[in-house]
């Protein structure tokens, strides 16, 4: 392949992978909406889609990374993957409709065992969604195998792919949450995303007819011997393994932070709509994309890769702890911004506050991927496997983090202590890697550790342990009760005027003032007034 043809092909691949990222997040938003009808609650729907998405990403990247190393023809395999995703998306509404009869049958069999029925329903939906998400997970290592021509350019090539795909995910999430579903409906939105996949598949297949056949020869002719400074053959194997498994821990903390941040932002900002929750995801993805783009430009230039990884972990721990202080400042910042007089203005204000808290640490998370990919990749022959394993191990850690923080950390030790624990996991990993990197001068390592450990220690020692709890008792209110569980945070406040207010996730549910109590009593009477001869009555939350 000549240089201009190669450059044009890679530009086309960038556009295709951007659209692929957009379609993936469109599916995620739409699948959640569709499964709410199946499960009856958004919590189970979100959990099912995220679990299937992350498990599929890990499985697909690990398996197909090895497959593309064996079989080659990466662009043609990529076309088949996109075709499979699009065809499944078109079939998913029909599959879901057929599953409805199965769910009805299972409900009759398990009517007295609600938990067992929920588990079976989750398992079936999970297995169905695992098919397209596995194909999605395969796309990154397969394309990485195709675009990387020299091992010394792994960081820039793979980082650019990751950044482009994640930027597409930002656009897809925003389009689905704010425009597509509202304007066209769920089925039509699926059709739009599926059409994107089919177009991607067609273009990739046409491009593969000339590139896949010439790719092997091109690599053989142009591949120079890597220099010792850039070749991973010269990196200590024990440190490579530590960074690799440390990246799993990094995935654990990353999704742990996301769980905590989403929870806190929802409570503090009063976020309840799909658009507002999507705004959090959009900012998170934007930070990853921006960080990956920065990392792509720098990863291949770093000569001290292990110290770089350690410093990034220390920064992530610092930003994680700093987020506690930032959250405590949000009520004051929101007051300074003034009231929002429209829905659009409220969304903009929420985005400003979200960016302030979570953009810096997510940028650091994004930089990590090309750096770890550069460390792990040892040669072109195993590039698909190496990048697939990096992606898979980080995703596996993310799965554990999403579950562990939401269902173990927060109920046992609380939100603020969970953030502190996650931050110190990052810090410990960073210090451990820097300490073992003997290729960097000892004085340099000490300076980095001291400069970043000092503020981490100060925040840990001097930030009050109940700083986040106090946010739930604004002004003259007295906090009478506080409890955190996987489903949410419950508080009871005593406010001036001898009135108590029950709040769930920061939203007022039941105040005890006279007007509110009268309203609840009237709500209880309203169905009786509308029904002529009620024989059975069910009251839920006294009308609240």
């Amino acid at each position: 392949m000549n240089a201009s043809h190669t450059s044009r092909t890679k530009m086309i691949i960038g556009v295709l992978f951007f659209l692929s990222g957009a379609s993936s997040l469109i599916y995620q938003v739409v699948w959640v909406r569709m499964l709410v009808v199946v499960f009856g609650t958004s919590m189970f729907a979100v959990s099912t889609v995220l679990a299937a998405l992350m498990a599929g990403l890990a499985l697909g990247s690990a398996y197909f990374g090895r497959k593309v190393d064996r079989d080659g023809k990466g662009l043609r395999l990529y076309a088949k993957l996109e075709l499979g995703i699009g065809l499944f998306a078109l079939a998913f509404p029909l599959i879901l409709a057929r599953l409805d009869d199965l769910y009805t049958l299972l409900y009759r069999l398990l009517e007295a065992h609600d938990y067992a029925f929920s588990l079976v329903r989750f398992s079936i939906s999970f297995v169905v969604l695992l098919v397209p998400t596995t194909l999605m997970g395969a796309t990154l290592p397969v394309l990485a195998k195709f675009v990387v021509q020299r091992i010394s350019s792994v960081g820039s090539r793979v980082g650019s792919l990751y950044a482009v795909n994640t930027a597409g995910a930002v656009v897809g999430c925003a389009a689905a949450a704010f425009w597509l579903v509202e304007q066209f409906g769920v089925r039509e939105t699926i059709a739009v995303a599926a059409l994107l996949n089919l177009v991607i598949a067609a273009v990739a297949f046409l491009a593969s007819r000339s590139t896949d056949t010439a790719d092997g020869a091109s690599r053989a002719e142009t591949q120079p011997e890597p220099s010792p400074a850039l070749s991973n053959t010269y990196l200590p194997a024990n440190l490579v393994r530590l960074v690799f498994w440390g990246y799993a821990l990094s995935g654990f903390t990353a999704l742990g932070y996301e769980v905590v941040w989403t929870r806190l932002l929802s409570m503090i900002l009063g976020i309840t709509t799909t658009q507002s929750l999507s705004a959090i995801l959009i900012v998170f993805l934007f930070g990853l994309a921006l960080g990956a783009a920065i990392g792509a430009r720098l990863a291949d230039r770093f000569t001290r890769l292990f110290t770089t990884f350690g410093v990034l972990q220390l920064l992530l721990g610092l930003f994680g702890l700093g987020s506690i202080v930032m959250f405590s400042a949000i009520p004051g910042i929101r007051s300074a911004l003034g009231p929002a007089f429209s829905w659009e203005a409220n969304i903009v204000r929420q985005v400003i506050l979200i960016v302030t808290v979570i953009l810096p640490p997510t940028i650091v998370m994004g930089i990590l991927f090309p750096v770890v990919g550069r460390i792990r990749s040892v040669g072109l022959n195993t590039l698909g496997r190496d990048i697939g394993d990096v992606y898979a191990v980080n995703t596996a850690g993310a799965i554990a983090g999403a579950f562990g923080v939401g269902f173990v950390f927060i109920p046992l030790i609380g939100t603020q202590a969970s953030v502190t624990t996650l931050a110190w996991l990052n810090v410990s990993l960073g210090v451990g890697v820097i300490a073992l990197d003997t290729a960097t001068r000892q004085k340099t390592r000490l300076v980095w550790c001291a400069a970043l450990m000092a503020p981490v220690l100060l925040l840990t020692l001097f930030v009050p342990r109940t700083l986040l709890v106090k946010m739930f008792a604004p002004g003259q209110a007295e906090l009478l009760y506080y409890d955190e569980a996987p489903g949410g945070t419950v508080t009871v406040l005593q406010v001036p005027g001898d009135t108590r207010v029950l709040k769930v996730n920061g939203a007022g549910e039941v105040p005890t003032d006279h007007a509110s109590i009268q309203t609840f009593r009237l709500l209880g009477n309203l169905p009786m007034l509308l029904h002529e001869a009620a024989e059975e009555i069910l009251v839920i939350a006294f009308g609240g």
Side-chain angles (χ1 to χ4, degrees), residues 302 307-317 364 367-368 371 452:
F302 291 134
T307 296
T308 300
F309 176 83
V311 169
L312 290 172
Q313 291 295 332
L314 286 168
L315 281 173
L316 192 52
V364 175
I367 296 174
L368 278 167
V371 171
L452 294 173

Side-chain angles (χ1 to χ4, degrees), residues 234-255:
Y234 298 87
L235 298 180
N238 63 326
L239 267 179
V240 172
R241 284 193 296 269
L242 177 60
V243 168
F244 177 70
W245 292 111
Y247 197 45
L249 180 63
S250 188
F252 180 95
T253 61
L255 258 290

Side-chain angles (χ1 to χ4, degrees), residues 266-328:
S266 299
M267 291 186 287
I268 297 169
L269 300 179
I271 290 175
T272 57
T273 65
T274 300
Q275 287 86 353
S276 297
L277 290 170
S278 296
I280 299 174
L281 179 59
I282 288 168
V283 174
F284 196 92
L285 291 171
F286 177 76
L288 293 179
L290 182 57
I294 294 171
R297 295 183 66 86
L298 299 177
D300 293 324
R301 302 178 188 178
F302 291 134
T303 56
R304 299 290 178 253
L305 290 169
F306 297 114
T307 296
T308 300
F309 176 83
V311 169
L312 290 172
Q313 291 295 332
L314 286 168
L315 281 173
L316 192 52
L318 177 59
F319 285 133
L321 276 176
S323 69
I324 297 173
V325 179
M326 293 301 301
F327 278 117
S328 67

Side-chain angles (χ1 to χ4, degrees), residues 135-176:
L135 301 180
M136 292 175 186
T139 56
L140 179 60
V142 168
L143 279 186
K145 179 74 171 183
F146 176 78
V147 301
V148 176
Q149 299 292 322
R150 289 186 293 272
I151 196 65
S152 59
S153 64
V154 167
S156 61
R157 296 295 188 188
V158 174
S160 296
L161 278 178
Y162 184 75
V164 164
N165 189 247
T166 309
V170 172
V171 173
C173 183

Side-chain angles (χ1 to χ4, degrees), residues 41-76:
T41 173
S42 60
M43 184 183 72
F44 289 144
V46 171
S47 299
T48 302
V49 173
L50 286 180
L53 179 63
M54 289 190 288
L57 293 180
L59 181 62
S61 58
Y63 174 75
F64 282 94
R66 286 161 170 75
K67 180 176 175 58
V68 74
D69 282 337
R70 288 195 313 267
D71 303 341
K73 298 187 176 180
L75 201 52
R76 183 165 298 186

Side-chain angles (χ1 to χ4, degrees), residues 116-132:
F117 176 63
S118 297
L119 185 61
V120 170
R121 190 171 45 179
F122 166 83
S123 300
I124 294 172
S125 300
F126 175 87
V127 170
V128 171
L129 287 177
L130 194 63
V131 175

Side-chain angles (χ1 to χ4, degrees), residues 353-376:
L353 294 171
I354 293 167
V355 166
T356 303
V357 176
I358 72 175
L359 186 62
T362 53
I363 290 175
V364 175
M365 294 175 192
I367 296 174
L368 278 167
F369 182 74
V371 171
V372 178
R374 179 71 188 85
I375 291 173
R376 176 69 176 179

